[in-house]
Amino acid sequence: MNIAFIGFGKVAFYLSKLIDGENINIITSAENRSDNTVELINKSDVEVYDTFKEAVEISDITVSLNSPSSALKVAHKYKDYCSGIYLDLNNISPETSIKISQLYDNFVDGAIIGKIDSLNPILYLAGEKAGDLLFLNDFLKVNIISNNIGDASKLKLLRSTYTKSLSALLIECTNLARKYCLDEEFFDILSLTEGDDFKEKSLSRINNTLNASKRKKDELEEIISYFDDDLIMVKAAHEKLSRL
Amino acid sequence: MNIAFIGFGKVAFYLSKLIDGENINIITSAENRSDNTVELINKSDVEVYDTFKEAVEISDITVSLNSPSSALKVAHKYKDYCSGIYLDLNNISPETSIKISQLYDNFVDGAIIGKIDSLNPILYLAGEKAGDLLFLNDFLKVNIISNNIGDASKLKLLRSTYTKSLSALLIECTNLARKYCLDEEFFDILSLTEGDDFKEKSLSRINNTLNASKRKKDELEEIISYFDDDLIMVKAAHEKLSRL
């Protein structure tokens, strides 16, 4: 079986390591790709074609591994060459999932959760053809959510409403505790109920958020506009990140 | 050594079970107390005096175990009878701690954290005389925060800023996930990073908050007014609980 990877960044690199079956051939192309990408391709065992078109054409499954902003363009570009399943793993919005699904007969909406670089992620899938990808369970954990295109993206957004707002809350509370010179005690007291790793985890969340506050603020903006619900806490998190 | 408990509710009942040393005599009174309190006294091994005044007078340590709203009145009432340490465990505000400290020579500001009924709480203490209570370490975990009266109360408020806002966030996120029929998946996906007990803990937090939303909203109001800081997330949590 051939699996074409359109794009070969970090996620693709680790996925190609995970999906390592005897009868599985992962192929990609270095066409118009950056030096970093070419380096990742060289470090892996995948087969390299001159163009993505060729790779897609001879594949049973095509996986789009690009960026949220280029996902729709990529989907348009290869729709006439893909006869098998087209799986999008670009962190796209539920709306974009639906748009892409209209271009392909066998579209699957996917999301990778967990740390890919520790080679222990979970692949969440949605769509009527998701069941055809269950064989991937031999290589990584695969969960099928539903037949509804967009549900994998939606689930990822729902997860973000929680994790990003939690980070904003942690920033607020630890700053307040620090102001009163009680931050060490704040972590100690909470580790009683939140677990021994509360401090370590919280500081890592805070740092990750502070280091990418603009991007996380933009992601919260997308979430707020997508769900169109009365999200008091999520809106406050957006406000908190805007003021950092 | 005699320890007087002014008040004998659930916390006092479990504390009297924990502090069970050979040379320690816990005493209290049923003076003007409710039937429930009298029942708890009868179920315990404490010594019962006719009045709290007598109990306080012969004690080395007096522990006030009433309610935040009655703490100051109780402190006034017994200030002329207490010659030893006066420990307040009423969940009072930092301001009330300071007021009470002005009535007693040997005041200690305390907070009990963790589940008292599982007999595994931690006693946080602040004040110059807190060190005199370190012998309680034989019976339960005792942590001294600082010499500053009010720090135990402050720490409890800081803890609440986090836990109460987190509950509000969980209510918002799970309601949103439920709206899209993805609540099971929401818990599953988050348990990957938040721990296997994420769902159970979250539902318990949500239920506790929904069952006492008015009280928790009032507590958040106190926190917001006490800290007088730009608490965007905590204010949003207050708003969230107000709308439940």
Side-chain angles (χ1 to χ4, degrees):
Chain A
M1 174 192 290
N2 290 327
I3 304 181
F5 278 13
I6 312 181
F8 208 84
K10 201 179 95 175
V11 174
F13 174 74
Y14 284 108
L15 263 188
S16 75
K17 277 177 177 282
L18 280 168
I19 304 171
D20 185 23
E22 261 185 36
N23 305 313
I24 293 178
N25 196 26
I26 294 182
I27 55 185
T28 191
S29 170
E31 183 189 9
N32 297 327
R33 292 285 145 165
S34 70
D35 291 348
N36 282 341
T37 299
V38 173
E39 199 181 315
L40 282 173
I41 292 174
N42 291 338
K43 275 186 2 195
S44 73
D45 283 336
V46 297
E47 211 170 307
V48 188
Y49 278 57
D50 287 343
T51 66
F52 286 112
K53 280 181 190 170
E54 289 168 79
V56 170
E57 240 166 6
I58 62 147
S59 288
D60 309 279
I61 298 165
T62 295
V63 188
S64 175
L65 286 150
N66 296 276
S67 67
S69 58
S70 63
L72 190 58
K73 208 173 83 184
V74 168
H76 269 287
K77 196 161 173 186
Y78 301 105
K79 71 182 163 67
D80 297 330
Y81 307 93
C82 172
S83 54
I85 282 176
Y86 187 85
L87 168 63
D88 186 289
L89 292 179
N90 293 309
N91 266 339
I92 50 177
S93 70
E95 288 119 326
T96 307
S97 285
I98 288 167
K99 278 184 197 159
I100 296 179
S101 75
Q102 289 158 353
L103 305 174
Y104 286 86
D105 287 336
N106 304 311
F107 176 68
V108 177
D109 172 27
I112 289 187
I113 312 279
K115 293 205 166 163
I116 183 81
D117 44 1
S118 63
L119 297 174
N120 195 22
I122 298 192
L123 178 61
Y124 280 87
L125 301 174
E128 284 178 15
K129 289 286 174 179
D132 292 3
L133 297 179
L134 268 180
F135 75 94
L136 290 171
N137 249 325
D138 289 350
F139 313 107
L140 75 166
K141 211 175 158 199
V142 178
N143 268 357
I144 296 183
I145 305 167
S146 74
N147 282 340
N148 306 323
I149 294 298
D151 269 4
S153 327
K154 243 178 258 171
L155 185 58
K156 201 145 180 174
L157 290 185
L158 286 168
R159 181 181 182 277
S160 279
T161 60
Y162 179 75
T163 55
K164 292 197 171 60
S165 305
L166 179 65
S167 297
L169 175 62
L170 283 167
I171 289 171
E172 182 160 300
C173 292
T174 52
N175 279 343
L176 187 64
R178 202 168 293 130
K179 190 172 151 181
Y180 291 91
C181 299
L182 289 169
D183 42 328
E184 279 309 315
E185 290 80 2
F186 171 80
F187 286 122
D188 279 353
I189 213 169
L190 276 162
S191 67
L192 296 175
T193 47
E194 311 305 302
D196 289 340
D197 57 352
F198 178 70
K199 182 181 174 184
E200 187 195 346
K201 252 173 129 167
S202 298
L203 291 179
S204 148
R205 280 183 159 139
I206 289 171
N207 282 335
N208 287 340
T209 301
L210 295 179
N211 290 335
S213 61
K214 168 79 174 66
R215 177 171 58 78
K216 287 180 191 262
K217 180 186 80 74
D218 290 348
E219 285 168 9
L220 280 173
E221 213 158 284
E222 269 181 54
I223 288 172
I224 291 165
S225 112
Y226 176 72
F227 285 119
D228 189 26
D229 211 279
D230 197 12
L231 299 177
I232 300 170
M233 298 300 292
V234 183
K235 282 178 186 164
H238 176 261
E239 173 73 13
K240 186 91 204 167
L241 297 192
S242 306
R243 294 210 208 162
L244 288 177
Chain B
M1 173 191 290
N2 290 327
I3 304 180
F5 278 14
I6 313 181
F8 207 85
K10 201 178 95 175
V11 174
F13 174 74
Y14 284 108
L15 264 189
S16 76
K17 278 179 176 280
L18 279 169
I19 304 171
D20 187 21
E22 263 186 33
N23 304 313
I24 294 177
N25 196 26
I26 294 182
I27 56 186
T28 191
S29 169
E31 182 189 9
N32 296 327
R33 293 283 146 165
S34 70
D35 290 350
N36 281 342
T37 299
V38 173
E39 201 180 313
L40 281 173
I41 292 174
N42 291 336
K43 276 188 358 198
S44 72
D45 282 336
V46 297
E47 211 170 306
V48 187
Y49 278 58
D50 286 343
T51 66
F52 285 112
K53 279 179 190 170
E54 291 168 78
V56 171
E57 240 166 6
I58 63 146
S59 288
D60 309 280
I61 298 164
T62 296
V63 188
S64 176
L65 286 150
N66 295 275
S67 67
S69 59
S70 63
L72 190 58
K73 208 174 82 184
V74 168
H76 269 289
K77 198 161 173 184
Y78 300 106
K79 72 181 163 69
D80 297 331
Y81 307 93
C82 172
S83 55
I85 282 175
Y86 187 85
L87 168 65
D88 187 288
L89 292 179
N90 292 310
N91 264 340
I92 51 177
S93 70
E95 288 119 326
T96 307
S97 285
I98 288 168
K99 280 185 195 158
I100 296 178
S101 75
Q102 288 157 354
L103 305 174
Y104 287 86
D105 289 335
N106 304 311
F107 177 68
V108 177
D109 172 27
I112 290 187
I113 312 280
K115 292 206 168 162
I116 183 80
D117 46 2
S118 64
L119 295 174
N120 195 22
I122 297 193
L123 178 60
Y124 279 87
L125 301 174
E128 284 177 12
K129 290 285 174 182
D132 292 4
L133 297 178
L134 268 180
F135 76 92
L136 290 171
N137 249 325
D138 289 350
F139 313 108
L140 75 166
K141 211 176 158 197
V142 178
N143 268 356
I144 296 184
I145 306 167
S146 74
N147 283 339
N148 307 322
I149 295 297
D151 269 4
S153 328
K154 243 177 259 171
L155 185 58
K156 201 143 179 177
L157 290 185
L158 286 168
R159 181 181 182 277
S160 279
T161 60
Y162 179 75
T163 55
K164 293 197 170 61
S165 304
L166 180 65
S167 297
L169 176 62
L170 284 167
I171 289 171
E172 182 159 300
C173 292
T174 52
N175 279 345
L176 186 65
R178 201 168 294 128
K179 189 170 151 183
Y180 291 92
C181 300
L182 289 169
D183 42 329
E184 279 309 315
E185 289 81 3
F186 170 80
F187 286 122
D188 279 353
I189 212 169
L190 276 162
S191 66
L192 295 177
T193 48
E194 312 304 303
D196 289 341
D197 58 351
F198 178 70
K199 183 182 175 182
E200 188 195 346
K201 254 174 127 166
S202 299
L203 291 178
S204 148
R205 283 185 154 136
I206 290 170
N207 283 335
N208 287 340
T209 300
L210 294 178
N211 290 335
S213 62
K214 169 79 174 67
R215 178 170 60 76
K216 286 177 191 266
K217 179 186 81 74
D218 290 348
E219 285 167 6
L220 280 173
E221 214 158 281
E222 268 180 54
I223 287 172
I224 291 163
S225 112
Y226 175 72
F227 285 119
D228 188 27
D229 210 280
D230 196 13
L231 299 178
I232 300 171
M233 297 301 292
V234 183
K235 281 178 186 164
H238 176 260
E239 172 74 14
K240 186 91 204 168
L241 297 192
S242 306
R243 295 209 206 163
L244 288 177

